[in-house]
Amino acid sequence: MDVTVRLYSVFRLKYEDYNSTTGIRLEIEVGSSIYDLLEKVEIEPKNVSIVRVNELIVKDFNLSLDNGDNVEIFPFYGGG
Amino acid sequence: MANILRVNMASKSVKVEDQKEEYQLFGGRNFIAKIMNDEVNPKCDPLGPENKLIISTGLLAGTTAPTSGRISVGGKSPLTGTVKEANAGGTAAQMLARLGLKAIIVEGMPEGNEWYILKVSADGAELLPGDKYAGMNNYELCSALQSDFGDKIGTISIGAAGERVYKNSTVQISDMSGRPSRAAARGGVGAIMGSKKLKAIVLEPAGKAEIEYADKEKFTGAVKAYIQGIKDNPLSGQALPALGTAVLVNGVNALGALPTRNFSSGNFEEAEKISGETLVTMQAERGGKSGHICQTGCPIGCSNIYNDENGNYLTSGFEFETIALVGSNCGISSLDTIAKIDRLCDDFGLDTMETGATIAVCMEAGKLSFGDEKGTLALIQEMIDGTDFGRVLGQGTAYVGKELGVNRIPVVKGQSIAGYDPRALKGTGVTYATSPMGADHTCGNSIGNPTVDPYKKEGQVELSTNLQVGMATFDTLGLCIFSGFCTEDPANVGHLLEMVAARFGGEWSVEKLFGLGVQSLIMEKSFNEKAGFTAEDNRLPGFMYSEPLPPTNNVFDLSDDELSQAIPF
Ligand code: SF4
């Protein structure tokens, strides 16, 4: 199945041709969790502040993803 | 020991005073608090002769400590009526240190309508006639001053907004290219300067700063280690240099705390368009710059140069707070329009945040619609032209909201809330409510704190208290608060302690270091109390307690009792 992954801040810097309109389309195995996805995009869970799936904040990274989900991954921020 | 320059605008006298021994550990924010308590009547008219304009370097100014060139500008705020310290980067603090000065205190008021400038050089300071500069805005003014005094000068100046004593007016500081793009923005400090008829301070370049160290070698070692700490921290080492503070747009939006359409939502559907990520890509194409530094020796470089669509310089130091308040909070999704407004504000001398909040309140009142870019530019032009309504707008969000009969006015102690809706970031909310400065995120912002849930009230009072003490300490040392992210690692607190001890000598503990911040807060609270403020003033606007903020539907739910436990000294 496919999900769309959107990366923010320093997570995006790794991908030079990142397209902010489309994000990254990734094929993952059925039943994959957010943890599995993070592993796939090489982001350590401890560096993640927020994950949103279809615009809703998800606290439990064990959640299994569905085909077509839009997953947004944010690092920690510091105050401006 | 560095000196203090006293300028009396009534007698037009200028006097260099040896710094009193007791002032040795006062700098930046706590120096302002000390002078305000010792010398200024808390009940005075902020725009009258009793108020003072205090410009102070921090305790580590003139040293090689990274980011130690912040300059604090303060007095009694015309906007809030509280004590005020607003600080900025740029070159002024380092130049003052080279001139052997710790601070400039401007007192009294001249009779008559003449304007003055203050010129400070290695040979001394003098007040000069300034009428030829009157009416100029900051960019034109800086060019004029550079052609009169040389292009190596540093400037501290006001635009026409400060001259007209607008309560949202700034004091602008020149950056390393001599552009007046760094703002001591909040609380109307520009109006204090304007009330004293001081149009600008010109700092001439001087030799090296002569700093006495208790242990120079140790100091240098600690600086090196601390710089490494800054670079190793993912925020100050990676995110800020690459993306600037605008990186916060997407993050704060995801949290549901991005002020949108006068604080009616925490999500802006067009956040990506005004994000740091978009800004950096667009500026790379236009020949702008990110990773720009505002002062010599900054190892972070959160600043930027923003070029317009033709590749010409438009503005610099273009920040998240401006984008949040002028952008999403007004429903505006064009970075170019927001940057244009940033430039107009720097030039004319307006706080971009107060300006954005004020315009959003006008939108709420139906004077124009959310997202109306032309209408927004027209209102700013009214402020610049000084039309009747333009002058009203210059009085700030609280005043304009009342004038237009708006119920939802996002201010605390008369100052507009910053780029984080406190219902979805409650630690920052506690700071807005209880800081002696009014709603000010730089006094203790809880964004990104991994230990406390931003939507819950538990732990927020303690978190805000710790942050407020930390920020007041950094503002006293004269360090940029972005150099402080690395202090989450105790080893870096150790290096900071070593620096301060090696500079000033004596025994230093963590308690003594952060005691500087505690002392600032105590003095500020005491000034405010004497000025007539009570615990009742430490509240967020009413609608934030009752109106759920979409999409998380949080309300601010810390009780008055709980708020009274913040900064309990
Ligand atoms: S981090 Fe940014 S604001 Fe702070 S000193 Fe460096 S460039 Fe200036």
Side-chain angles (χ1 to χ4, degrees):
Chain A
M1 64 181 203
D2 280 351
V3 293
T4 301
V5 185
R6 292 178 196 275
L7 302 173
Y8 293 93
S9 178
V10 287
F11 296 156
R12 198 180 285 186
L13 298 177
K14 286 199 289 189
Y15 297 85
E16 258 185 30
D17 46 3
Y18 182 91
N19 181 324
S20 62
T21 320
T22 55
I24 302 169
R25 222 163 157 74
L26 264 191
E27 207 186 304
I28 53 171
E29 274 174 42
V30 175
S32 293
S33 68
I34 293 174
Y35 278 121
D36 299 328
L37 181 69
L38 289 174
E39 203 179 322
K40 201 156 175 151
V41 292
E42 295 175 8
I43 291 173
E44 284 187 58
K46 71 169 172 49
N47 294 331
V48 175
S49 73
I50 294 177
V51 170
R52 294 204 306 176
V53 178
N54 305 330
E55 300 201 351
L56 291 177
I57 294 178
V58 175
K59 290 260 158 89
D60 182 3
F61 293 178
N62 288 308
L63 177 96
S64 350
L65 294 165
D66 288 328
N67 189 31
D69 275 349
N70 182 29
V71 188
E72 299 174 282
I73 307 170
F74 298 85
F76 282 94
Y77 289 86
Chain B
M1 212 189 282
N3 296 317
I4 292 168
L5 179 65
R6 265 193 207 263
V7 181
N8 189 308
M9 298 302 297
S11 62
K12 321 281 179 331
S13 63
V14 171
K15 191 169 75 188
V16 177
E17 282 175 4
D18 279 349
Q19 186 188 153
K20 288 186 204 158
E21 188 66 40
E22 60 160 315
Y23 288 163
Q24 204 205 7
L25 291 179
F26 289 89
R29 183 161 164 187
N30 81 349
F31 182 79
I32 289 171
K34 173 87 177 141
I35 298 294
M36 291 304 288
N37 268 281
D38 288 357
E39 301 184 8
V40 177
N41 170 13
K43 293 222 182 295
C44 76
D45 171 4
L47 300 177
E50 281 183 283
N51 198 9
K52 299 193 181 186
L53 175 75
I54 304 163
I55 298 170
S56 177
T57 65
L59 290 177
L60 292 175
T63 73
T64 51
T67 78
S68 57
R70 295 294 289 188
I71 186 100
S72 292
V73 181
K76 178 172 172 175
S77 163
L79 185 75
T80 63
T82 64
V83 66
K84 175 60 62 180
E85 183 263 1
N87 62 67
T91 54
Q94 288 169 343
M95 293 188 84
L96 280 170
R98 283 187 218 118
L99 288 161
L101 292 176
K102 168 181 197 139
I104 300 176
I105 303 176
V106 185
E107 327 181 310
M109 255 165 104
E111 278 176 27
N113 283 321
E114 286 82 35
W115 286 91
Y116 299 86
I117 63 166
L118 173 71
K119 187 183 79 147
V120 190
S121 71
D123 304 327
E126 53 182 330
L127 276 172
L128 300 171
D131 275 351
K132 67 184 264 205
Y133 306 108
M136 285 184 188
N137 287 324
N138 287 300
Y139 275 82
E140 185 193 0
L141 173 65
C142 270
S143 303
L145 290 169
Q146 281 161 10
S147 60
D148 290 349
F149 299 99
D151 57 7
K152 298 274 180 308
I153 58 166
T155 55
I156 300 171
S157 64
I158 56 171
E163 287 182 36
R164 289 188 212 139
V165 295
Y166 282 9
K167 289 185 178 152
N168 62 356
S169 62
T170 60
V171 169
Q172 296 290 135
I173 313 291
S174 58
D175 68 7
M176 290 167 60
S177 320
R179 288 173 175 139
S181 64
R182 314 300 307 188
R186 308 229 70 192
V189 285
I192 309 178
M193 191 156 160
S195 72
K196 302 199 177 299
K197 299 275 174 198
L198 184 61
K199 180 68 179 159
I201 300 174
V202 171
L203 303 172
E204 295 212 330
K208 265 192 150 181
E210 280 173 36
I211 307 284
E212 297 154 28
Y213 293 91
D215 186 335
K216 179 85 197 271
E217 212 175 303
K218 250 203 173 142
F219 188 85
T220 311
V223 164
K224 227 175 129 192
Y226 195 67
I227 290 178
Q228 197 53 50
I230 291 175
K231 290 194 166 152
D232 289 343
N233 180 278
L235 292 171
S236 49
Q238 265 190 304
L240 284 173
L243 296 156
T245 58
V247 70
L248 282 156
V249 173
N250 277 328
V252 177
N253 189 54
L255 189 66
L258 187 68
T260 302
R261 295 183 200 87
N262 192 32
F263 293 86
S264 61
S265 171
N267 257 178
F268 184 46
E269 58 291 344
E270 295 182 286
E272 180 71 38
K273 280 197 196 161
I274 55 169
S275 68
E277 290 88 333
T278 301
L279 170 72
V280 165
T281 317
M282 170 221 258
Q283 285 304 316
E285 286 160 11
R286 292 183 183 178
K289 201 172 172 226
S290 34
H292 180 65
I293 60 174
C294 79
Q295 54 167 285
T296 316
C298 169
I300 305 166
C302 75
S303 187
N304 50 20
I305 291 182
Y306 190 105
N307 285 354
D308 65 15
E309 52 279 7
N310 301 318
N312 297 320
Y313 173 88
L314 178 61
T315 193
S316 58
F318 182 48
E319 307 272 355
F320 165 69
E321 304 298 334
T322 304
I323 297 174
L325 274 303
V326 175
S328 52
N329 195 47
C330 292
I332 293 178
S333 61
S334 155
L335 271 179
D336 280 333
T337 300
I338 306 167
K340 238 176 250 164
I341 293 170
D342 184 66
R343 165 63 184 254
L344 288 171
C345 286
D346 282 356
D347 194 26
F348 183 54
L350 293 178
D351 175 8
T352 56
M353 298 159 69
E354 195 68 41
T355 299
T358 303
I359 287 174
V361 159
C362 292
M363 291 171 166
E364 170 110 15
K367 278 225 122 304
L368 69 172
S369 52
F370 285 104
D372 180 353
E373 295 174 30
K374 271 207 187 117
T376 299
L377 284 162
L379 286 185
I380 290 169
Q381 198 56 48
E382 286 211 41
M383 282 196 254
I384 296 172
D385 295 343
T387 65
D388 288 351
F389 189 58
R391 284 169 191 261
V392 170
L393 291 171
Q395 303 310 304
T397 312
Y399 187 93
V400 171
K402 272 185 215 126
E403 183 77 17
L404 298 179
V406 171
N407 281 332
R408 303 169 70 261
I409 308 177
V411 300
V412 180
K413 301 188 181 77
Q415 179 168 286
S416 83
I417 286 176
Y420 314 83
D421 195 304
R423 287 166 286 185
L425 189 60
K426 291 184 178 164
T428 302
V430 174
T431 301
Y432 289 153
T434 61
S435 164
M437 299 288 155
D440 185 335
H441 66 293
T442 67
C443 289
N445 189 354
S446 66
I447 183 79
N449 183 288
T451 57
V452 178
D453 183 335
Y455 304 145
K456 300 225 166 84
K457 65 177 182 174
E458 286 72 30
Q460 305 293 1
V461 164
E462 197 189 342
L463 176 60
S464 166
T465 298
N466 290 338
L467 289 165
Q468 290 197 60
V469 169
M471 294 305 104
T473 303
F474 269 68
D475 293 344
T476 294
L477 295 172
L479 297 180
C480 174
I481 55 179
F482 297 154
S483 74
F485 292 135
C486 66
T487 55
E488 65 180 20
D489 177 351
N492 291 322
V493 179
H495 300 316
L496 191 57
L497 261 181
E498 275 164 31
M499 255 190 261
V500 178
R503 164 74 177 84
F504 293 102
E507 286 294 312
W508 281 80
S509 60
V510 174
E511 289 71 31
K512 182 170 172 185
L513 177 65
F514 289 99
L516 294 170
V518 172
Q519 184 192 37
S520 277
L521 291 163
I522 291 174
M523 290 187 294
E524 290 162 357
K525 282 173 69 172
S526 145
F527 184 91
N528 287 355
E529 223 166 87
K530 288 184 219 136
F533 286 85
T534 68
E536 295 298 305
D537 296 299
N538 295 341
R539 304 285 179 263
L540 291 185
F543 73 93
M544 293 192 163
Y545 292 89
S546 57
E547 194 183 291
L549 177 72
T552 60
N553 292 322
N554 284 292
V555 293
F556 193 77
D557 53 357
L558 280 103
S559 67
D560 296 354
D561 234 24
E562 285 162 327
L563 287 177
S564 72
Q565 286 153 34
I567 49 169
F569 354 89

